[in-house]
Amino acid sequence: MLFKQQAWLRQKLLVLGSLAVGSLLYLVARVGSLDRLQPICPIEGRFGARGQAEFPLRALQFKRGLLHEFRKGNSSKEQVHLQDLVQQLPKAIIIGVRKGGTRALLEMLNLHPAVVKASQEIHFFDNDENYAKGIEWYRKKMPFSYPQQITIEKSPAYFITEEVPERIYKMNSSIKLLIIVREPTTRAISDYTQVLEGKERKNKTYYKFEKLAIDPNTCEVNTKYKAVRTSIYTKHLERWLKYFPIEQFHIVDGDRLITEPLPELQLVEKFLNLPPRISQYNLYFNATRGFYCLRFNIIFNKCLAGSKGRIHPEVDPSVITKLRKFFHPFNQKFYQITGRTLNWP
């Protein structure tokens, strides 16, 4: 009898031990795979003075999961209250440029403990149907965060859509605006490459880049081609400057973000009045992919989707020369307006 009781007790202890280990592994995997473990990070600048506004680093998917459980009735109100979660309107928006590196910039900024990103492009300000749903609809599309954190979203179409500057101004006239740009000809070819890949997936044919970028009737650059128009950065920026002063914009060098991401990210931290938190530890070069990946902690690393860094088709050098000559005066004006000179040919 005593032997049976001892055996039963050992079996119970084994089960309880397995459950404890399993729970611990689950929590580590869940937190680690989301963002990072939770040390304390002070926030400075307009988001609070150092030492006054401290909050734990987030594990946003865990928080979203907690709120989801609460809505289903599986989590107490006290648990949710302890998380102190809110859905905030963005204090900064990456407004463009398409194929400039907006996704990479957003994911890299998400390394900062004070930054919370909207995972999807919301297209609130450039889509009339979405905009008609109102600002509360937009707010509810934002991720959960601590009040001391800042939310950032990105929708590259904002930069080139005529109605957007006024709409964002009406929401927040003091918002910070991030524009990431690449050398205009390279960006246009990248834009074409993405569209071409989409056509090929559907077994559809598509014109060569040269036929789209150059008007066959005049043999001049075809400004009706959207990929060309998008790369005339100064034309779009001038529309934004009717509503926002240049001090509310920060230009990110998308070409440098590929090769030397840390200095660019540090400039953004300064622009957003954030304490420096992103370091070289958070960025490592992946030789297989050919670009930098992200390290959140010892458990969780992340590379951008395989669709990033597509191989561009070969383009007639004379067409590239013609495009660069066309963009040159616009680039010079862009440098003058923004106060940032980029190493473009």
Side-chain angles (χ1 to χ4, degrees):
M1 184 67 177
L2 181 60
F3 176 76
K4 287 184 178 180
Q5 288 179 339
Q6 289 175 338
W8 178 84
L9 183 60
R10 281 196 300 270
Q11 186 178 8
K12 279 287 186 182
L13 289 173
L14 181 61
V15 171
L16 289 173
S18 298
L19 287 172
V21 172
S23 299
L24 180 60
L25 289 174
Y26 170 79
L27 288 172
V28 170
R30 184 131 189 197
V31 173
S33 66
L34 310 170
D35 278 305
R36 34 199 169 311
L37 304 178
Q38 304 227 1
I40 299 297
C41 173
I43 297 303
E44 316 179 303
R46 65 188 180 91
F47 305 113
R50 181 180 292 275
Q52 293 180 347
E54 294 188 346
F55 61 91
L57 302 188
R58 74 245 181 260
L60 289 179
Q61 291 182 5
F62 171 73
K63 296 176 190 175
R64 286 195 291 269
L66 179 63
L67 190 69
H68 178 62
E69 291 300 309
F70 169 58
R71 286 172 174 166
K72 292 195 303 181
N74 295 335
S75 180
S76 69
K77 291 182 180 180
E78 288 77 14
Q79 284 176 296
V80 175
H81 177 71
L82 287 174
Q83 297 301 310
D84 198 21
L85 299 175
V86 291
Q87 284 174 291
Q88 305 182 80
L89 290 172
K91 293 186 175 73
I93 301 178
I94 301 172
I95 59 174
V97 176
R98 171 181 161 89
K99 305 315 300 172
T102 56
R103 172 56 61 182
L105 177 60
L106 183 67
E107 296 293 343
M108 288 178 178
L109 289 178
N110 192 50
L111 289 163
H112 198 291
V115 171
V116 180
K117 69 180 176 71
S119 297
Q120 303 298 321
E121 293 180 9
I122 299 169
H123 291 284
F124 177 64
F125 297 103
D126 65 308
N127 183 297
D128 291 341
E129 184 178 344
N130 287 342
Y131 189 68
K133 294 175 183 177
I135 201 70
E136 283 307 307
W137 177 89
Y138 182 53
R139 186 195 303 272
K140 289 176 182 177
K141 292 292 181 181
M142 294 298 142
F144 293 96
S145 63
Y146 292 105
Q148 300 92 338
Q149 293 174 303
I150 66 169
T151 298
I152 297 180
E153 77 123 323
K154 75 102 174 172
S155 294
Y158 289 169
F159 186 60
I160 63 171
T161 305
E162 188 172 343
E163 299 83 4
V164 171
E166 182 179 6
R167 289 175 175 179
I168 291 181
Y169 180 85
K170 287 178 178 178
M171 178 191 73
N172 182 357
S173 62
S174 62
I175 197 165
K176 302 270 189 172
L177 301 167
L178 294 163
I179 307 173
I180 180 167
V181 292
R182 295 192 67 190
E183 190 276 313
T185 300
T186 302
R187 194 222 64 83
I189 296 172
S190 181
D191 198 331
Y192 166 83
T193 304
Q194 179 170 303
V195 176
L196 175 65
E197 185 179 277
K199 297 284 186 181
E200 289 176 341
R201 279 200 305 266
K202 298 176 183 178
N203 293 318
K204 293 182 178 180
T205 58
Y206 196 48
Y207 295 106
K208 292 187 68 175
F209 176 79
E210 291 87 342
K211 292 201 172 201
L212 294 168
I214 303 300
D215 187 324
N217 297 318
T218 63
C219 293
E220 298 299 327
V221 172
N222 180 14
T223 55
K224 294 181 180 179
Y225 179 37
K226 188 176 180 180
V228 168
R229 289 202 314 274
T230 300
S231 285
I232 308 175
Y233 305 137
T234 185
K235 291 290 186 183
H236 306 293
L237 182 59
E238 285 172 344
R239 183 171 59 250
W240 284 85
L241 290 173
K242 294 176 182 177
Y243 294 90
F244 300 96
I246 194 63
E247 292 77 19
Q248 284 177 231
F249 296 87
H250 177 72
I251 306 302
V252 179
D253 184 342
D255 295 303
R256 192 183 182 203
L257 190 73
I258 296 171
T259 59
E260 296 179 89
L262 185 58
E264 286 299 315
L265 295 172
Q266 290 171 333
L267 289 173
V268 177
E269 284 179 323
K270 185 176 180 181
F271 172 70
L272 296 177
N273 296 323
L274 295 173
R277 290 292 181 271
I278 302 173
S279 69
Q280 196 60 57
Y281 169 81
N282 300 119
L283 304 160
Y284 67 96
F285 186 77
N286 186 310
T288 303
R289 288 178 172 266
F291 50 80
Y292 280 85
C293 295
L294 316 179
R295 180 185 290 115
F296 289 85
N297 54 43
I298 59 173
I299 299 172
F300 181 47
N301 299 337
K302 179 178 182 179
C303 289
L304 298 180
S307 61
K308 304 302 177 183
R310 296 179 181 90
I311 297 175
H312 293 178
E314 288 188 17
V315 176
D316 186 334
S318 67
V319 171
I320 292 176
T321 300
K322 186 181 286 286
L323 284 168
R324 286 178 171 168
K325 184 177 179 180
F326 169 80
F327 287 126
H328 182 74
F330 297 110
N331 295 343
Q332 296 302 310
K333 190 171 184 181
F334 184 73
Y335 302 158
Q336 183 180 7
I337 292 173
T338 62
R340 180 157 195 191
T341 301
L342 302 166
N343 296 319
W344 296 339

